[in-house]
């Protein structure tokens, strides 16, 4: 009996001891170091310029997880913060999954109008492990749970930068689920000396930290809130695009928070990121959470030995100060803005500003060319003719007035006539046209005031107009919103097969935090159209309404880098813009990942490559990036199926530029393109190279 008790005690002690150990089997020397003793795990990683970051984790359930965060040169580390815990709030709602609304690709959903729950995520520290993936070191600690979701906490360190990511990685088996999350770091005892953020005007706001300060939501610029201590600062911020689910409006909904007792769920003093569950009060789809997908409820932290302002400067570098940087040989273009400046201001009798706010905002983001989508609600596309022509005339006059040698503001509309779904019309010069034709009026006529006027009666005449005026059309928000089912339903139509129909537009709809990329909806369509045997392209679109300095514009923007040496002069027309788009001589980017150079065996995007019987080719591309890269993917098709070759890029560090060459067998394939994505799910993609 005594022997049995002794063996039982030994077994229990061994089990307890094993549970307390950190599994280091998957950690390999990558420049970071890891050591563990009892309940403490110590990680050091190189952050660049000869400096190191140090993270001390306490795995005792009764103690804060982050015992210490330090930064500096060897032997002279400064302690930035102590005794912090990660905190997460998870909202769980019901997704509408009817086929008519697009299934998981739905946008027209109003999740917060139905019952949903809001709960603090529980974290009971369980088994821990440390793994290395290229230049990244990942700490995984089991024990995350909230409602129907379970998972683990993951902390990722990135060599070459004082940057790390904290994520509650969770999944559910429940179907039709939509989620939203808030997150941050909380102090159990010590409080930040100051909490700092930038207001929407770009001015730093500084408040002393006090345990008695009730939590409040902050309207900030750059999506960042910073804790500042004597030793330095810690910035907390989300992924710049992934964290922002699609909305019609880019309103600044106070995406950060500070203080104690946040939502009456997190009692300790904290700083963090948040989402307004009601969104813009229009369509509010939240994030998809399909069954058994690993949803990453994550945020980034950046350490600095300087003041909060210095930390914010470093954060802003990841998004080029929320702007699109210039590239030699390229001009930036954004499309699909329903600002309704003409209807709401110019034709309303209100004073017309010399420099409208929306123009100044778009210029500050580094955009060279902006294509509007006016008259989507208040306009009169079908007439009366006199009203319609007056609206167009005002649009042409104002876009001409507001253009300059480095900024081209272009007229454009989102139509819902003739073709099916919604689509964008784009002409290379001002064209007066009415989306209807009454009685015996001709298709084309001459107006004494406006000159040539077209009146369009059906899809055949729409195609004729586009051909005659060298215009382009493409599907807006394909396969979702009011274009659910399109362009698939008209893929056999003459107008779709014609050269006037460019293809479709891409925006990150829907949002899914389990994906390492932004929305695949239109990228999949891009591949499908190529396998249909059609040489189509995909342009990016913003599809948002009001544009103000106060808004969170950058999170909802994306850009097309067009291969243009100069911005066309408005007075001479902008045919070169349409030519570049028609030929596929551009790439799409969220801004953080750029593709200045790309070819396959010397042939660039939009061109045709003849390959020999072996099918051996080389994909060459140059990538520029801010966040460390995650992977590139070579996507190709043979007319039936789609093939993907993923290249791991996790050895890259922040802020790099490199030429890559990858051999790939394209035997029997008809097209190929490339995507590149970083660790924050920012990315860029090329147009097709066609194969013969």
């Amino acid at each position: 009996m005594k022997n049995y008790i002794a063996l039982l005690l030994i077994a229990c002690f061994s089990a307890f001891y094993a549970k307390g150990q950190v599994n280091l089997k998957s950690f390999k020397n990558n420049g970071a170091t890891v050591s563990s003793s009892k309940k403490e795990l110590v990680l050091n990683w190189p952050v660049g310029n000869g400096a190191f970051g140090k993270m001390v984790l306490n795995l005792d359930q009764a103690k804060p997880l982050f015992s210490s965060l330090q930064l500096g040169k060897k032997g002279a580390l400064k302690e930035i913060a102590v005794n912090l815990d990660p905190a997460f709030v998870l909202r769980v709602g019901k997704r509408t999954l009817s086929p008519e609304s697009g299934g998981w690709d739905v946008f027209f959903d109003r999740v917060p109008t139905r019952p949903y729950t809001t709960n603090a995520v529980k974290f009971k520290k369980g088994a821990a492990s440390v793994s290395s993936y290229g230049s990244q070191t990942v700490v995984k600690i089991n024990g995350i749970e909230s409602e129907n979701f379970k998972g683990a906490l993951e902390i990722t360190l990135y060599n070459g930068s004082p940057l790390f990511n904290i994520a509650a990685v969770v999944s559910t088996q429940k179907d039709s689920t939509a989620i939203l999350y808030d997150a941050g770091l909380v102090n159990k005892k010590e409080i930040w000396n100051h909490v700092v953020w930038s207001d929407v005007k770009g001015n730093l706001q500084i408040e002393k930290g006090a345990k008695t300060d009730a939590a409040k939501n902050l309207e900030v610029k750059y999506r960042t809130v910073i804790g500042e201590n004597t030793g330095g600062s810690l910035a907390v911020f989300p992924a710049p695009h992934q964290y922002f689910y699609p909305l019609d409006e880019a309103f600044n909904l106070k995406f950060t928070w500070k203080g104690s007792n946040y939502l009456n769920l997190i009692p300790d003093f904290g700083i963090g990121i948040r989402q307004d569950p009601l969104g813009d009060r229009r369509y509010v789809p939240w994030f998809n959470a399909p069954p058994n997908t690993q949803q990453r409820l994550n945020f980034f932290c950046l350490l600095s030995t300087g003041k909060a302002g210095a930390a914010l400067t470093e954060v802003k570098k990841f998004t080029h100060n929320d702007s699109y940087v210039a590239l030699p040989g390229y001009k930036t273009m954004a499309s699909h803005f329903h600002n309704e400046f003409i209807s709401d201001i110019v034709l309303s009798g209100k004073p017309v500003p010399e420099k409208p706010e929306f123009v100044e905002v778009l210029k500050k983001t580094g955009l060279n060319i902006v294509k509007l989508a006016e008259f989507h609600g208040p306009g009169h596309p079908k007439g009366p003719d006199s009203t319609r022509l007056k609206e167009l005339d005002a649009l042409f006059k104002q876009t001409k007035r507001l253009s300059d040698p480095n900024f081209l503001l272009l007229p454009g509309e989102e139509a819902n006539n003739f073709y099916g779904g919604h689509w964008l019309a784009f002409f290379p010069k001002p064209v007066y046209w009415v989306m209807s034709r009454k009685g015996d009026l001709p298709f084309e006529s001459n107006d004494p005031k406006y000159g040539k006027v077209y009146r369009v009666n059906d899809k055949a005449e729409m195609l004729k107009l586009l051909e005659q005026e060298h215009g382009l059309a493409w599907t807006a928000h394909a396969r979702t919103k009011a274009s659910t089912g399109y362009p698939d339903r008209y893929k056999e139509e003459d107008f779709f097969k014609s050269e006037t129909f460019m293809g479709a537009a891409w925006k990150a709809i829907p949002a899914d935090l389990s994906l390492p990329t932004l929305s695949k909806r239109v990228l999949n369509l891009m591949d499908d159209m190529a396998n249909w045997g059609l040489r189509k392209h995909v342009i990016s679109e913003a599809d948002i309404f009001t544009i103000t300095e106060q808004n969170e514009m950058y999170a909802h923007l994306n850009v097309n880098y067009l291969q243009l040496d100069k911005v066309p002069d408005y007075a001479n027309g902008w045919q070169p813009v349409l030519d570049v788009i028609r030929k596929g001589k551009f790439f799409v980017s969220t801004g953080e990942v750029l593709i200045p150079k790309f070819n396959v065996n010397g042939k660039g995007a939009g061109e045709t490559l003849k390959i020999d019987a072996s099918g051996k080719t080389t994909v060459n591309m140059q990538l520029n990036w801010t966040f460390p890269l995650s992977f590139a993917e070579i996507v190709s098709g043979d007319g039936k199926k789609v093939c993907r070759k993923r290249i791991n890029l996790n050895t890259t560090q922040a802020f790099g530029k490199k030429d890559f060459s990858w051999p790939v067998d394209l035997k029997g394939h008809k097209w190929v393109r490339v995507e590149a994505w970083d660790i924050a799910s920012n990315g860029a993609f090329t147009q097709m190279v066609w194969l013969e």
Side-chain angles (χ1 to χ4, degrees):
M1 183 67 178
K2 289 182 179 180
N3 289 339
Y4 173 77
I5 293 173
L7 289 171
L8 182 61
L9 289 172
I10 292 171
C12 291
F13 177 79
S14 298
F16 175 80
Y17 181 76
K19 185 178 179 181
Q21 295 302 297
V22 177
N23 187 335
L24 301 177
K25 291 182 180 179
S26 297
F27 177 76
K28 296 179 176 58
N29 185 6
N30 65 352
T33 63
V34 181
S35 62
S36 63
S37 60
K38 294 183 179 179
K39 292 284 186 177
E40 195 171 77
L41 179 63
V42 181
L43 301 103
N44 293 272
W45 78 102
V47 301
N49 298 319
F52 290 84
K54 182 177 181 179
M55 179 181 290
V56 182
L57 300 176
N58 195 315
L59 301 181
D60 187 331
Q61 182 63 32
K63 301 290 180 64
L65 178 64
F66 295 96
S67 292
S68 180
L69 292 170
Q70 304 172 33
L71 184 67
K73 303 286 186 180
K74 273 189 176 180
L77 293 177
K78 291 185 177 181
E79 191 162 61
I80 311 300
V82 297
N83 297 329
L84 295 172
D85 265 317
F88 298 88
V89 172
L90 179 63
R91 291 183 172 89
V92 180
K94 181 75 172 176
R95 165 67 72 236
T96 295
L97 285 180
S98 66
E100 294 78 16
S101 66
W104 285 109
D105 283 339
V106 65
F107 174 83
F108 289 155
D109 199 359
R110 293 184 172 95
V111 177
T113 64
R114 299 184 291 273
Y116 65 89
T117 58
T118 304
N119 289 297
V121 174
K122 298 176 183 177
F123 180 35
K124 187 175 182 181
K125 298 171 187 173
S129 64
V130 183
S131 305
S132 52
Y133 301 92
S135 296
Q136 304 171 19
T137 302
V138 180
V139 180
K140 181 178 179 180
I141 307 170
N142 290 334
I144 292 285
E145 187 172 347
S146 183
E147 295 189 58
N148 298 309
F149 286 82
K150 291 183 179 181
L153 186 79
E154 289 188 3
I155 304 165
T156 306
L157 312 177
Y158 305 99
N159 286 359
S161 177
L163 181 75
F164 59 96
N165 182 269
I166 302 174
V169 185
V170 295
S171 65
T172 182
Q173 294 183 348
K174 190 174 181 180
D175 202 4
S176 307
T177 299
I179 62 172
L180 212 59
Y181 77 95
D182 304 345
L185 292 171
V186 298
N187 307 63
K188 288 192 177 298
K189 294 182 179 179
E190 295 80 3
I191 304 299
W192 297 103
N193 290 347
H194 297 98
V195 177
V196 184
W197 65 94
S198 169
D199 65 21
V200 295
K201 299 287 187 181
N203 302 311
L204 282 185
Q205 302 298 312
I206 303 173
E207 289 188 2
K208 284 190 175 182
K211 185 77 173 179
T212 55
D213 287 347
K216 68 177 181 179
N217 304 329
L218 306 173
E219 184 180 73
V220 307
K221 192 173 177 64
Y222 307 114
R223 305 159 298 280
T224 303
V225 60
I226 305 163
E228 182 184 86
N229 281 331
T230 303
S233 304
L234 184 151
V236 172
F237 57 99
H241 301 283
Q242 183 199 44
Y243 186 60
F244 297 84
Y245 63 89
L247 292 170
D248 283 327
E249 295 281 10
F251 295 151
N252 191 317
L253 300 174
K254 299 184 177 181
F255 296 109
T256 64
W257 61 275
K258 65 168 281 283
S260 298
N261 200 26
Y262 179 65
L263 294 179
N264 295 320
L265 293 173
I266 301 174
D268 301 316
F269 186 97
I271 58 174
I273 63 172
R274 64 173 297 275
Q275 284 280 7
D276 187 325
L278 301 181
D280 60 10
R281 272 78 171 168
R282 291 168 64 89
Y283 295 102
V284 188
W286 290 12
F287 296 104
N288 284 341
N292 303 312
T293 56
Q294 298 295 308
Q295 298 293 320
R296 291 184 59 85
L297 319 181
N298 74 100
F299 61 97
F300 287 93
C301 299
L302 184 134
L303 298 173
S304 171
T305 55
K307 295 287 188 179
L312 181 59
T313 296
E314 295 303 308
V315 171
K316 288 158 61 177
K317 289 179 181 178
F318 286 103
T319 59
H320 304 293
N321 293 340
D322 280 11
S323 67
Y324 297 100
V325 295
L327 281 181
Y330 290 88
K331 296 300 176 185
T332 55
M333 174 187 171
S335 174
H336 201 154
F337 295 95
H338 300 299
N339 195 51
E340 304 299 355
F341 177 68
I342 302 303
S343 297
D344 295 348
I345 302 295
V346 178
L347 297 178
S348 69
K350 298 176 184 177
V352 178
E354 180 66 24
K355 293 183 177 181
E357 182 181 13
F358 84 96
V359 172
E360 297 305 300
V361 169
L362 294 172
K363 284 183 175 182
K364 285 180 181 178
T365 62
L367 293 172
N368 302 124
I369 304 167
V370 171
K371 180 189 178 299
L372 299 175
E374 294 283 272
F375 313 131
H376 192 51
H380 301 82
K382 294 184 179 181
D385 289 4
S386 59
T387 303
R388 165 66 171 173
L389 297 177
K390 180 181 179 181
E391 289 173 342
L392 286 175
D393 191 57
L395 174 62
F396 300 151
K397 287 177 178 176
Q398 288 297 320
T399 49
K400 181 179 181 179
R401 178 181 74 87
L402 296 170
S403 295
D404 60 46
N406 199 46
F407 182 76
L408 187 60
L409 186 64
L410 297 179
E413 295 180 81
E414 180 180 11
N416 58 3
N417 298 323
F418 314 126
Y419 285 171
H422 286 195
W423 52 278
L424 271 292
F426 193 25
F427 295 102
K429 62 180 181 180
V431 173
Y432 291 91
W433 64 299
V434 184
M435 299 185 198
S436 67
R437 180 153 56 83
K438 302 174 181 65
D440 58 353
L441 289 173
F443 166 69
E444 179 183 339
S445 64
N446 210 21
D447 186 274
K449 182 176 181 181
Y450 301 110
K452 188 185 296 184
V453 173
Y454 295 95
R455 292 174 176 84
V456 179
N457 195 45
D458 54 33
K459 60 188 176 184
E461 291 186 347
M462 189 67 236
L463 173 57
K464 182 180 178 181
L465 171 58
L466 289 167
E467 289 175 336
Q468 193 162 316
E469 291 292 345
H470 309 289
L472 281 180
W474 57 84
T475 310
H477 41 75
R479 292 178 171 175
T480 191
K481 299 181 82 171
S483 294
T484 299
Y486 297 100
D488 306 68
R489 293 180 190 173
Y490 52 58
K491 69 178 183 178
E492 298 300 330
E493 295 272 7
D494 290 341
F495 69 81
F496 183 69
K497 292 182 176 181
S498 79
E499 290 187 358
T500 68
F501 209 99
M502 182 273 296
W506 177 88
K507 178 183 177 176
I509 306 173
D512 187 328
L513 297 165
S514 70
L515 299 177
T517 70
L518 297 179
S519 173
K520 284 286 190 180
R521 172 184 50 91
V522 176
L523 294 175
N524 289 339
L525 170 62
M526 188 179 187
D527 303 335
D528 290 343
M529 290 188 297
N531 274 344
W532 295 342
L534 302 173
R535 296 196 171 193
K536 302 297 182 185
H537 307 297
V538 164
I539 199 168
S540 74
E541 64 180 353
D543 194 6
I544 52 179
F545 286 72
T546 53
I547 302 168
T548 70
E549 184 179 35
Q550 183 182 23
N551 280 2
E552 176 47 69
M553 293 299 302
Y554 185 76
H556 294 275
L557 288 178
N558 45 54
V559 74
N560 303 283
Y561 275 86
L562 308 184
Q563 291 184 26
L564 285 170
D565 290 324
K566 65 178 183 178
V567 176
D569 178 58
Y570 189 103
N572 297 324
W574 44 94
Q575 187 68 55
V577 175
L578 278 75
D579 290 343
V580 165
I581 296 172
R582 183 180 282 111
K583 294 174 182 176
K585 310 301 289 183
F586 64 95
F587 69 88
V588 172
S589 173
T590 57
E592 300 78 9
V593 182
L594 303 175
I595 312 176
K597 299 176 183 178
F598 165 69
N599 70 75
V600 182
N601 284 13
K603 294 293 185 179
E607 297 178 3
T608 300
L609 169 66
K610 292 186 178 181
I611 56 177
D612 60 29
S614 70
K616 293 181 179 179
T617 62
T618 301
V619 172
N620 306 294
M621 67 190 309
Q622 183 183 94
L623 292 175
N624 297 1
W625 63 90
T626 58
F627 289 90
L629 292 175
S630 181
F631 66 91
E633 196 161 60
I634 301 172
V635 188
S636 60
D638 62 4
K640 294 182 179 179
K641 64 179 183 295
V642 176
C643 301
R644 301 180 183 275
K645 179 180 180 180
R646 181 168 293 195
I647 296 99
N648 198 331
L649 298 177
N650 61 20
T651 59
T652 58
Q653 298 184 5
F655 304 105
K657 176 181 178 180
K658 186 177 179 180
D659 292 319
F660 296 93
S661 292
W662 300 303
V664 58
D665 184 356
L666 295 176
K667 184 178 182 179
H669 289 208
K670 297 178 182 292
W671 54 269
V672 63
R673 64 179 182 86
V674 182
E675 304 173 19
W677 301 91
D678 68 21
I679 52 98
S681 297
N682 310 304
F685 60 88
T686 72
Q687 301 304 300
M688 307 294 191
V689 173
W690 309 106
L691 307 175
E692 291 182 353

